[in-house]
Amino acid sequence: MEQRRYERRNGAVCWTGCVVAVLLCSMASAQLRYSISEGVNEGTVVGNIAKDLGLDQNTLVGRKYRIVSSGADPLFHVNPNDGILYVSRTIDREEVCAQSSTCLINLKTVLENPLEVHNVGVEVLDVNDHSPSFPEKEKTLEISESVLPGARFQLKPSRDRDSGHFSVQQYKLSHNDYFRLEVKDKREDGKIPILVVKKSLDREAVGSHSLVLTALDGGKPPKSGDMNILINVLDINDNAPVFTKDVYSVMLDENAPVGTTVIQVNATDLDDGQNGDVVYSFSNSMNQKLLNIFDINQLTGEITVKGLIDYEEKDTYEIEIEASDKALAPLTTEKSVIIKIVDVNDNAPEIEVTSFSSSIPEDSRPGTTVALINVNDLDSGLNGKVICSIGEGVPFALSPSLQDNMYSLITKSPLDREKQSHFELTITAKDAGQPPFSSEKKISIVVSDVNDNSPEFLLSPYTFYITEANEPGTSVFSVKALDRDENDNAAISYHIFRDGSEENKLASFLNINTENGDILALKSFDFETLKTFHFQVVATDSGTPSLSSNVTVNVFILDKNDNAPVILYPVSSNGSAEGVEEIPRNVNAGHLVTKVRAYDADIGYNGWLLFSLQEVTDHTLFGLDRYTGQIRTLRSFTETDEAEHKLVILVKDNGNVSLSATATVIAKVVEPKEAFAASDVKSAAKDEEGNDVTFYLMITLGSVSVLFIISIIVLIAMQCSKTTDYTSKYLQDTNYDGTLCHSIQYRSGEKRYMLVGPRMSIGSTIVPGSHANTLVLPDRRRASEEVRHI
């Protein structure tokens, strides 16, 4: 049973949906249309919608018949019980539909269950409830009496809020003899009234005309609106203004403040009204510059100062003034006003420098013109009288010329560029006005160089020290000279003075850089052959004519350890440093075996020789004095000692990089008798050989010593001849420290040198030609043998 109910309920729902769909598809949209006049009272019946739609009262109530409206203040409402449509409030058609030709208000009414929509249109009919109105109640027109007939003057149209036939339909003009009315239809803009002159106007006969313009609508009876028109006939301008004076002239101080009254002009006009009202202005022919200086009051004719009045720019102004009436076609009269400017001292003098030579040679004579000075003051009279002056303490002066306010700037004393190369001059010009004005002009004068200074060397003379064995072609020293002049006059070139003399022959081994004064040695110097020399360097500038100076350059060669020691004894017959010494077997400790003799051509530490045993058969048997080269026995010989001993002696100098030589001594141990026999033969051979060697050695070393002494003497003489405090002294130093044989010191300028040699013992002698660096002790054995023979 529940199933049957369910099926019955489903069938009812489907049937209801179909009915609603049919009703929705067949909703009536029948258009009902009613009409009412605007302005009807509230509650006025518009129509019976229920009757017109065939709806009964039950249907209206049951289906909730109503008007669907979105407005907050609806114009209509319907009674849901009887379906009658009423006016809800007073309707103003001009408010609802403005100027539309047809005013139709559409309403939507609905019935529910099922939904039905019915459109109802209500047309609001216009009623002539508004009168035409003009924008202005009164209109004033000004028309010249010279206007010709037919002249047209358009007036503003009247407006009527009603539409259609009730709007403005025609215009009427009050009766008169001078004007008529034309109407122009502009459709959307309505009808436009036009006032037309039909007769010439005469201001003297009728000065003004009062007219009434009436606008009428199409109502019955028609409504109307009026506008009063006042027409003033303007006078014809037949009289020009006339100035009260024939000539206007005035004096005005320059620099008068802005707003100062210059003069007031006056003109009159016999016409009436604006034709007789005069306004003043400057002539159109005046240039803009005058308009920037002066101004005129249009009403009073008062001329005032507007800009800067400058006497120096212009001393007289002629201004054209125009007096015009205010007519539509104004008449104008012109008059000239002469304004004379009175000068005041308001301009400082102006200094103009002409023919100016910014550079003047330093050798210019006094009275040389440097520049022409022109002084100008734009003021007049005493205000333009100028006195010109220049500062003190400068070698220049102002010389007045025959022409007024002209001066010549001249030199009044010699110039020296090296003392002052630049002058800043201040020229002062002062006028005679009260108060006086002055101005200054600064000019810069450069003193140009003249070649009046010779090059000057930084030192005179130059002293240089060169270490021997220098590399040829390299710079060894340089000289420097300065020239107080400038540019080419100070451009210095150097060269070595060569005259070919014997004294200057060493200059050929030198070369100099002409630009910087660097001196190059073209050969390597040897201290052992050349100790000192001198030459001259000439410095020449590039001026025209050129100037030059020379300086003496003293060069001292310094010793370098470039000579190895030379062994004098022992020397074998083939020239090698090797000898044989026989020693009796019975000698005691300290016996002098022999003495190695050597010398070094260098001096100082480079020639100081030290001896050492490089190789020895028995270190306990022989000893060597490191300073004298003496070889002595350290103990007595024994039976076990070998009969022959080899000693290799190393002779070394004390240079930074020491050089050395070696000598070999073969010591043979013999019986005493053999030793004495051999000693006699050996002594004789040694004496003969020693005499020859000593002779040649003395000659050689003596020559070297003489050259060295001569060089020292020359050096002393040169140092003593200096004007400066340079001295050269050789002092014998007797304070030994027990190591050096002697110390010779000499001083040159700020430098000090010392020559040293090995220490000396009592009874020792200096080998001739050894430069005091090789000591030789007497052969005591030989001396003892000589004593025995005696």
Side-chain angles (χ1 to χ4, degrees):
M1 186 160 181
E2 289 178 358
Q3 186 174 2
R4 283 197 301 266
R5 289 179 182 173
Y6 180 76
E7 290 176 355
R8 192 180 301 122
R9 186 168 53 250
N10 285 343
V13 171
C14 291
W15 181 84
T16 303
C18 292
V19 172
V20 171
V22 171
L23 290 176
L24 289 176
C25 292
S26 60
M27 280 193 307
S29 60
Q31 177 70 43
L32 297 179
R33 185 162 182 169
Y34 302 97
S35 63
I36 61 170
S37 297
E38 66 171 330
V40 295
N41 296 327
E42 180 181 347
T44 300
V45 176
V46 178
N48 192 334
I49 299 176
K51 181 179 178 181
D52 294 335
L53 293 177
L55 299 176
D56 56 18
Q57 184 177 3
N58 293 332
T59 302
L60 294 175
V61 174
R63 297 179 62 182
K64 298 179 180 179
Y65 183 66
R66 68 185 182 277
I67 296 175
V68 179
S69 174
S70 60
D73 188 12
L75 298 176
F76 304 96
H77 67 275
V78 66
N79 189 332
N81 296 322
D82 56 12
I84 298 175
L85 182 63
Y86 296 94
V87 175
S88 297
R89 61 184 178 85
T90 302
I91 300 174
D92 186 353
R93 182 184 183 283
E94 286 71 33
E95 178 184 347
V96 176
C97 298
Q99 296 294 324
S100 299
S101 60
T102 302
C103 182
L104 181 64
I105 300 174
N106 291 314
L107 303 175
K108 285 186 179 181
T109 62
V110 296
L111 291 170
E112 295 181 358
N113 299 319
L115 179 63
E116 287 185 22
V117 177
H118 298 279
N119 292 324
V120 178
V122 180
E123 181 181 1
V124 180
L125 302 178
D126 188 24
V127 175
N128 190 19
D129 57 348
H130 293 90
S131 299
S133 63
F134 287 93
E136 300 173 316
K137 290 294 183 180
E138 293 184 357
K139 174 67 176 177
T140 300
L141 294 178
E142 292 182 348
I143 302 176
S144 174
E145 61 179 330
S146 63
V147 69
L148 298 177
R152 301 162 63 87
F153 301 91
Q154 181 173 310
L155 304 175
K156 291 183 179 180
S158 174
R159 298 298 180 187
D160 193 326
R161 296 184 63 188
D162 294 326
S163 61
H165 183 69
F166 297 122
S167 63
V168 177
Q169 298 297 316
Q170 60 177 328
Y171 290 94
K172 289 182 179 181
L173 185 65
S174 62
H175 178 74
N176 67 94
D177 296 332
Y178 295 93
F179 298 93
R180 62 183 177 85
L181 185 65
E182 289 185 2
V183 179
K184 184 177 181 179
D185 191 354
K186 286 192 174 182
R187 297 185 181 180
E188 293 182 358
D189 293 337
K191 294 176 171 58
I192 308 299
I194 298 175
L195 191 65
V196 180
V197 178
K198 65 179 181 179
K199 182 180 179 180
S200 296
L201 301 178
D202 186 357
R203 189 193 70 83
E204 289 71 25
V206 180
S208 63
H209 300 270
S210 295
L211 305 177
V212 177
L213 178 63
T214 303
L216 301 172
D217 61 19
K220 291 184 179 180
K223 293 189 176 186
S224 64
D226 295 334
M227 178 177 68
N228 296 322
I229 301 175
L230 177 62
I231 299 175
N232 293 322
V233 180
L234 300 179
D235 182 36
I236 295 177
N237 189 26
D238 52 356
N239 291 284
V242 177
F243 284 94
T244 58
K245 289 184 179 181
D246 294 334
V247 177
Y248 287 94
S249 180
V250 67
M251 304 288 287
L252 177 65
D253 289 340
E254 70 169 325
N255 299 328
V258 174
T260 300
T261 299
V262 180
I263 193 173
Q264 184 174 11
V265 296
N266 186 31
T268 59
D269 194 317
L270 298 177
D271 291 325
D272 293 333
Q274 290 186 344
N275 292 338
D277 293 338
V278 179
V279 293
Y280 304 91
S281 64
F282 292 127
S283 172
N284 293 329
S285 61
M286 285 182 58
N287 59 37
Q288 185 63 38
K289 191 171 184 181
L290 284 177
L291 296 177
N292 293 333
I293 298 176
F294 299 101
D295 196 7
I296 188 169
N297 188 307
Q298 293 184 354
L299 300 178
T300 64
E302 185 180 55
I303 300 175
T304 57
V305 176
K306 180 181 179 182
L308 177 64
I309 305 297
D310 191 353
Y311 172 86
E312 290 72 32
E313 184 175 346
K314 196 170 183 179
D315 59 356
T316 302
Y317 294 94
E318 184 175 356
I319 303 176
E320 293 294 332
I321 304 298
E322 291 183 351
S324 303
D325 54 35
K326 296 182 179 180
L328 295 177
L331 297 178
T332 302
T333 302
E334 294 185 353
K335 182 67 68 174
S336 295
V337 177
I338 306 300
I339 303 175
K340 297 180 179 180
I341 307 301
V342 179
D343 183 39
V344 296
N345 189 26
D346 62 339
N347 287 280
E350 296 179 355
I351 303 174
E352 182 182 3
V353 180
T354 60
S355 302
F356 174 55
S357 299
S358 60
S359 178
I360 181 172
E362 61 178 321
D363 61 348
S364 299
R365 296 181 179 180
T368 301
T369 300
V370 179
L372 295 179
I373 309 299
N374 181 24
V375 182
N376 184 34
D377 194 317
L378 297 177
D379 296 321
S380 59
L382 289 177
N383 296 334
K385 185 66 176 178
V386 180
I387 300 174
C388 202
S389 62
I390 193 172
E392 299 293 334
V394 293
F396 299 94
L398 287 176
S399 175
S401 65
L402 297 178
Q403 185 179 354
D404 289 341
N405 296 334
M406 286 291 295
Y407 296 86
S408 296
L409 179 63
I410 61 174
T411 59
K412 68 177 183 180
S413 61
L415 304 175
D416 188 353
R417 190 202 66 83
E418 286 69 39
K419 291 183 178 179
Q420 187 169 354
S421 62
H422 182 264
F423 292 92
E424 290 287 343
L425 303 181
T426 300
I427 300 173
T428 303
K430 184 177 181 181
D431 61 28
Q434 291 298 328
F437 281 85
S438 63
S439 61
E440 293 182 350
K441 180 77 172 183
K442 294 184 181 294
I443 62 174
S444 178
I445 300 177
V446 176
V447 181
S448 62
D449 186 43
V450 174
N451 192 25
D452 56 349
N453 290 280
S454 301
E456 297 179 2
F457 285 93
L458 300 182
L459 295 175
S460 181
Y462 277 92
T463 301
F464 295 105
Y465 299 88
I466 306 175
T467 303
E468 65 172 332
N470 56 289
E471 183 179 352
T474 59
S475 175
V476 290
F477 47 80
S478 65
V479 296
K480 180 70 174 179
L482 299 177
D483 196 314
R484 295 176 62 194
D485 296 321
E486 64 178 1
N487 300 329
D488 289 342
N489 296 332
I492 299 175
S493 62
Y494 303 88
H495 70 275
I496 297 175
F497 177 73
R498 296 183 174 91
D499 59 357
S501 63
E502 184 67 21
E503 186 182 79
N504 203 24
K505 66 179 181 179
L506 287 175
S508 60
F509 298 109
L510 300 174
N511 196 10
I512 189 168
N513 188 315
T514 59
E515 295 180 357
N516 56 29
D518 287 345
I519 298 176
L520 290 76
L522 303 179
K523 63 168 287 185
S524 179
F525 296 105
D526 186 6
F527 174 82
E528 287 70 34
T529 59
L530 179 65
K531 302 296 187 297
T532 181
F533 66 93
H534 66 275
F535 61 95
Q536 287 191 332
V537 175
V538 180
T540 305
D541 60 30
S542 300
T544 304
S546 62
L547 300 177
S548 63
S549 61
N550 61 309
V551 68
T552 300
V553 181
N554 298 316
V555 181
F556 293 92
I557 309 302
L558 300 180
D559 184 39
K560 181 181 180 181
N561 191 23
D562 58 344
N563 291 281
V566 178
I567 305 297
L568 299 179
Y569 182 83
V571 179
S572 63
S573 58
N574 59 4
S576 61
E578 185 176 344
V580 178
E581 297 291 338
E582 293 183 350
I583 307 171
R585 184 177 290 275
N586 59 351
V587 297
N588 296 323
H591 173 74
L592 178 62
V593 177
T594 186
K595 179 177 179 179
V596 177
R597 298 180 179 87
Y599 83 97
D600 194 317
D602 297 320
I603 65 170
Y605 285 100
N606 296 332
W608 181 15
L609 301 181
L610 296 177
F611 302 85
S612 63
L613 282 173
Q614 186 178 19
E615 182 181 341
V616 62
T617 306
D618 189 348
H619 289 282
T620 65
L621 188 57
F622 299 98
L624 175 67
D625 190 311
R626 64 176 302 188
Y627 298 111
T628 63
Q630 294 179 349
I631 302 175
R632 296 180 181 273
T633 58
L634 298 177
R635 61 177 175 80
S636 300
F637 289 97
T638 62
E639 295 298 331
T640 59
D641 291 331
E642 297 181 358
E644 184 175 312
H645 298 271
K646 180 180 180 181
L647 289 81
V648 178
I649 295 89
L650 175 66
V651 183
K652 182 173 63 173
D653 59 29
N654 278 274
N656 288 333
V657 180
S658 62
L659 303 177
S660 62
T662 58
T664 303
V665 176
I666 304 299
K668 293 184 178 180
V669 181
V670 298
E671 296 301 326
K673 293 181 179 180
E674 296 177 357
F676 286 124
S679 176
D680 292 336
V681 177
K682 187 175 181 182
S683 296
K686 280 185 178 180
D687 289 340
E688 183 178 357
E689 179 183 355
N691 289 335
D692 294 338
V693 172
T694 302
F695 176 74
Y696 293 112
L697 183 61
M698 289 179 64
I699 292 174
T700 303
L701 299 181
S703 300
V704 173
S705 299
V706 169
L707 291 175
F708 179 71
I709 292 172
I710 292 173
S711 300
I712 297 299
I713 292 173
V714 171
L715 176 62
I716 293 173
M718 292 176 59
Q719 296 295 327
C720 292
S721 64
K722 293 182 183 178
T723 57
T724 59
D725 194 26
Y726 296 121
T727 60
S728 178
K729 297 180 181 179
Y730 290 83
L731 305 174
Q732 184 68 34
D733 189 359
T734 58
N735 298 321
Y736 306 123
D737 58 0
T739 301
L740 303 180
C741 65
H742 64 285
S743 172
I744 298 177
Q745 301 180 8
Y746 68 92
R747 185 182 297 109
S748 178
E750 298 298 328
K751 297 184 179 180
R752 182 172 177 177
Y753 296 89
M754 180 171 64
L755 306 179
V756 297
R759 69 183 177 184
M760 299 174 61
S761 60
I762 299 175
S764 63
T765 60
I766 298 177
V767 178
S770 64
H771 303 298
N773 51 32
T774 302
L775 299 180
V776 179
L777 292 175
D779 192 345
R780 295 177 180 174
R781 186 182 64 177
R782 183 180 301 174
S784 62
E785 289 175 355
E786 291 176 352
V787 171
R788 288 196 191 101
H789 288 303
I790 293 174

